[in-house]
Amino acid sequence: MDAAFNGLLALADVNLLGLILLATLGGVLIGALPGLNGTTGAALLLPFTITMEPIAAIAVLTTVYCAATFAGAITAILINTPGTSASATTCLDGYPLAQRGEAGRALGMAAVSSTIGGVVSVICLMLAAPLLARVAYNFAPPEYFALTMFGLSMLATIGNGSPVKNVLAGATGVLLATIGIDHLTSIERFTFGLNELSEGIGFVPMMIGLFGISELLFQAEKLHVKRRQITMKAIELPTRADYRKVWKVILRSTGIGTFIGILPAEGATVASMIGYNEAKRWSKTPEEFGKGSIEGIAGSEAANNSATGGAMVPTLALGIPGSPTAAVILAGLMVHGLRPGPTLFTEQADFAFAIFWAMLLVNCLFFFVGLWGAKLYARVTLIPINILWPIVFTFSIIGAYALDQSMTDVWIALGAGILGFFMRRYGFSVVPLAIGLILGGMLETRFGQSMVMLDEKWWLIFSRPLSLFFILLTALALFGPVIFGRRRKKKAVAEPIAEPESTT
Amino acid sequence: MQSDQGHPRPSRYGLSHYAIPTVIIAFCALAFWLSTQFDRVPPILKRGIQPSDFPQLIIGLIILLSLSLYIWDKDKTPDPLSGIVWKTIALMVGFVAIAQIDLMLGISLFGGCLTILWGERRPAMIAIVAILVPLGAFFLFDLVFEVRFPRGLLTNFWYG
């Protein structure tokens, strides 16, 4: 209780509140600009936060995360281009509503659903994270090793990519994490005698490259795409009848989003798709979906915003990112010398609660910022990409340089950008690579500690109930899609008409 | 999930179907060889694992997964890269060369050239991207965040 109160006090600073308001505006702007999303935005802002106090730095990153997730809906509704991938399902009903002259109603519903989803999920985060941390406090290295393996195995299900390619990218990230001095033996590995590599590959330049510069190259392929914009003359808020129609949808999607968010590596995109599908499945008027259904917007937006709070549960309590943006926030925590995990809630409980309150605040803030500024943001989205992306490049390069003031980091960012671009082109997601890089160090350290603890008898990891449980979950995450996918295929051959609609 | 179900097997795979796993395996072979060059902890001091053990374990996993791509990867080969992407990558290479002379000069020239390459023709807009934004970013980081940029042709004017 004291920690919660102290966290609130830590936040009661005019400068910090001003910074959060500014970050909310920036986050909404980032989310509204097609091509930029919360992950890219957080990665680009990471260098700016280095000079800040840890609370301010992490509050800014989480604020951008929450605000950008909501703001993706603005462009989804107004120009039929999801600002973030989590808002792709919002396009389905938002844009038809906007075409009918009801853009304000759609935006209002998106803002209300996002706010409710976000607030409820942060409350869940405040309750669940310390409890989870208390359980995790009893974990020994083998349990942590198995848990980290589980976190990495969840990468298999990220996005629409092949599970094998996702795991391969994740393993490459883990391999990259071995560059530098081995923490267990202090022996240099893969450094080629370069001092700059002795501390390993920096998270910040890698994130900037993988998310920012690779996207710049991707945008080059989209130069010919023209955006159609709806003129929005007046903001017409949703009616009471609308709210009566959607309150159950919002609650259901909030539950779904929070749960999906808590699962390691699953993010707002998966949550919004499942939230949307469930809204359609339970709706009395499913035929309206895709043609301008207010329930569709509520289902998608409540789910994607509630995933933000959920994703922070494993990030803070276990040190395992719950989403790609949470991975960047985790990198931010590490850069500030904070150790996410159970000890965060015992040794730095005030800090943890300050972050929770900041997230709660921003979830309320973007309701006003998003709704009142919608017209302005609609104009901002018209910034031509041939102006926007060179500016993004400038800040990416300077940001990559700024942290350690090393040109090596600039080359790493550029290299990671080009690598990320080609990975994405050939069906490899860059998210597993980033998460593998972040979790790799932890995985190796826990593995090494487990070997010491178990006297090099690695098979004893299976004799510990909790580690066995996480290893079984890992096996399920890796092989489940293959096994269940085959079963579904066989069933589909036998009963072609009974094939259920895909939920992902 | 897509590659395991629902995608019809293409009649002929593109070069990338074989080239990508091969490149990854070649990279792994090199990494494995490098890992054999790491110093080793003497047996009397060794606790747990040798520094090369974990990377070699991961390299083995990556090779296995790459081999499986030969068999199970059903992703279509993407269309060839458009000229504009190659030109953008070439500009990046140019940036690397010019950044050796001066980082800010490299950023400024890259920004200006990219804006023009991507179709901008208004001189004012090009000037904003090529001059005003890098200048603003430079002073923001230099004066506010106290970041010292590497000395070069242009930055020497400021640093003296």
Side-chain angles (χ1 to χ4, degrees):
Chain A
M1 226 27 215
D2 281 352
F5 185 69
N6 289 338
L8 193 59
L9 274 184
L11 208 65
D13 173 64
V14 181
N15 292 331
L16 187 55
L17 290 175
L19 198 64
I20 289 173
L21 180 64
L22 209 65
T24 308
L25 290 167
V28 172
L29 202 65
I30 285 167
L33 287 166
L36 281 174
N37 55 33
T39 314
T40 315
L44 293 175
L45 278 174
L46 202 49
F48 287 89
T49 62
I50 302 303
T51 51
M52 296 177 189
E53 289 294 312
I55 288 180
I58 306 304
V60 164
L61 294 176
T62 49
T63 299
V64 168
Y65 180 24
C66 297
T69 306
F70 154 70
I74 296 175
T75 39
I77 291 165
L78 295 176
I79 57 171
N80 201 25
T81 308
T84 63
S85 57
S87 302
T89 44
T90 309
C91 285
L92 300 175
D93 292 290
Y95 189 64
L97 272 174
Q99 280 181 312
R100 294 206 306 246
E102 295 178 67
R105 188 171 161 232
L107 280 170
M109 184 49 71
V112 169
S113 321
S114 299
T115 302
I116 296 173
V119 167
V120 172
S121 78
V122 173
I123 293 169
C124 288
L125 165 68
M126 291 170 105
L127 299 172
L131 289 177
L132 188 60
R134 206 173 296 166
V135 174
Y137 205 63
N138 300 315
F139 283 17
E143 280 76 26
Y144 258 115
F145 168 72
L147 177 68
T148 314
M149 285 278 288
F150 171 58
L152 283 168
S153 70
M154 292 299 285
L155 296 174
T157 58
I158 274 183
N160 296 318
S162 136
V164 175
K165 286 185 171 178
N166 285 339
V167 176
L168 208 156
T172 308
V174 174
L175 183 64
L176 289 177
T178 63
I179 293 174
I181 292 173
D182 175 23
H183 293 300
L184 292 171
T185 58
S186 301
I187 286 171
E188 284 197 6
R189 299 180 300 185
F190 300 121
T191 58
F192 307 102
L194 294 171
N195 279 338
E196 289 90 344
L197 288 179
S198 59
E199 288 297 310
I201 289 190
F203 297 135
V204 178
M206 276 300 281
M207 298 286 172
I208 288 175
L210 289 175
F211 296 109
I213 294 175
S214 78
E215 185 61 38
L216 180 145
L217 289 168
F218 240 81
Q219 291 294 323
E221 288 196 315
K222 295 180 189 166
L223 284 171
H224 60 280
V225 178
K226 285 189 179 158
R227 299 182 213 143
R228 285 184 296 162
Q229 197 205 20
I230 298 289
T231 50
M232 194 176 58
K233 286 178 184 159
I235 296 245
E236 176 207 334
L237 290 174
T239 60
R240 273 190 186 177
D242 286 336
Y243 290 125
R244 270 200 294 273
K245 198 175 176 184
V246 300
W247 70 271
K248 279 185 189 168
V249 177
I250 293 177
L251 289 183
R252 192 184 307 117
S253 282
T254 299
I256 291 169
T258 307
F259 176 71
I260 299 286
I262 289 174
L263 294 178
E266 297 294 338
T269 309
V270 177
S272 70
M273 285 176 184
I274 297 178
Y276 182 84
N277 259 10
E278 287 307 301
K280 186 178 178 181
R281 211 160 62 87
W282 288 81
S283 173
K284 287 174 186 164
T285 53
E287 69 281 358
E288 284 180 14
F289 278 68
K291 296 171 192 163
S293 165
I294 207 84
E295 290 174 275
I297 296 174
S300 165
E301 285 302 307
N304 68 24
N305 268 82
S306 55
T308 58
M312 292 301 287
V313 175
T315 308
L316 294 174
L318 305 171
I320 294 186
S323 72
T325 321
V328 180
I329 295 170
L330 190 63
L333 285 162
M334 288 169 166
V335 166
H336 278 279
L338 297 158
R339 286 177 62 87
T343 49
L344 191 73
F345 294 88
T346 49
E347 290 164 14
Q348 284 152 320
D350 297 359
F351 167 82
F353 274 94
I355 298 306
F356 296 158
W357 289 118
M359 284 183 76
L360 202 61
L361 176 67
V362 67
N363 275 292
C364 300
L365 263 181
F366 66 58
F367 173 73
F368 300 104
V369 173
L371 210 57
W372 288 339
K375 273 186 178 178
L376 175 72
Y377 293 126
R379 290 213 180 104
V380 170
T381 58
L382 292 178
I383 294 177
I385 59 175
N386 55 14
I387 301 294
L388 174 69
W389 282 93
I391 294 174
V392 170
F393 179 84
T394 299
F395 282 96
S396 298
I397 294 298
I398 294 180
Y401 173 81
L403 177 60
D404 287 334
Q405 302 187 20
S406 155
M407 284 303 284
T408 308
D409 285 346
V410 174
W411 312 138
I412 288 174
L414 271 182
I418 294 172
L419 172 74
F421 170 70
F422 282 104
M423 281 177 67
R424 289 168 66 180
R425 261 185 76 78
Y426 289 102
F428 294 86
S429 169
V430 294
V431 176
L433 182 71
I435 296 182
L437 181 70
I438 289 173
L439 291 184
M442 187 200 281
L443 188 75
E444 185 180 7
T445 307
R446 302 299 188 194
F447 181 65
Q449 288 170 340
S450 303
M451 288 302 99
V452 173
M453 193 178 147
L454 303 173
D455 204 18
E456 296 186 32
K457 297 184 178 92
W458 59 267
W459 56 91
L460 288 180
I461 291 177
F462 297 97
S463 67
R464 301 169 71 92
L466 258 176
S467 11
L468 182 65
F469 171 70
F470 286 122
I471 285 169
L472 287 176
L473 282 181
T474 306
L476 193 69
L478 288 175
F479 302 112
V482 180
I483 297 164
F484 297 119
R486 280 200 183 151
R487 264 194 183 176
R488 218 170 34 220
K489 224 177 187 177
K490 277 183 187 169
K491 202 178 170 188
V493 172
E495 306 169 52
I497 301 165
E499 175 71 1
E501 200 172 328
S502 170
T503 51
T504 53
Chain B
M1 258 14 80
Q2 103 289 19
S3 65
D4 285 336
Q5 47 196 315
H7 277 218
R9 181 182 281 268
S11 53
R12 272 183 73 188
Y13 290 123
L15 183 65
S16 65
H17 177 79
Y18 303 101
I20 290 171
T22 308
V23 168
I24 299 172
I25 290 169
F27 165 78
C28 284
L30 177 69
F32 191 90
W33 176 77
L34 286 171
S35 73
T36 59
Q37 312 296 309
F38 297 160
D39 293 339
R40 293 184 75 79
V41 182
I44 198 157
L45 298 175
K46 182 178 159 252
R47 298 183 71 225
I49 53 175
Q50 288 285 357
S52 58
D53 290 352
F54 187 77
Q56 286 176 353
L57 202 69
I58 300 297
I59 289 167
L61 174 69
I62 295 175
I63 291 174
L64 272 180
L65 290 167
S66 303
L67 288 173
S68 78
L69 284 183
Y70 285 124
I71 307 160
W72 288 304
D73 177 33
K74 291 166 191 166
D75 281 356
K76 284 180 187 167
T77 303
D79 296 332
L81 275 180
S82 60
I84 199 107
V85 180
W86 282 119
K87 285 173 189 165
T88 306
I89 293 174
L91 272 184
M92 283 185 181
V93 176
F95 162 76
V96 172
I98 296 167
Q100 310 288 339
I101 303 166
D102 188 291
L103 176 65
M104 296 314 294
L105 181 67
I107 289 174
S108 179
L109 283 177
F110 178 88
C113 293
L114 187 67
T115 312
I116 296 165
L117 178 69
W118 284 14
E120 184 57 58
R121 293 292 173 266
R122 290 168 291 180
M125 284 297 172
I126 297 166
I128 287 173
V129 174
I131 301 166
L132 280 185
V133 172
L135 211 60
F138 175 81
F139 285 118
L140 173 73
F141 276 83
D142 187 78
L143 298 174
V144 180
F145 300 120
E146 295 179 350
V147 170
R148 287 290 165 267
F149 287 93
R151 282 180 172 275
L153 203 66
L154 292 182
T155 37
N156 276 347
F157 285 115
W158 177 250
Y159 292 130

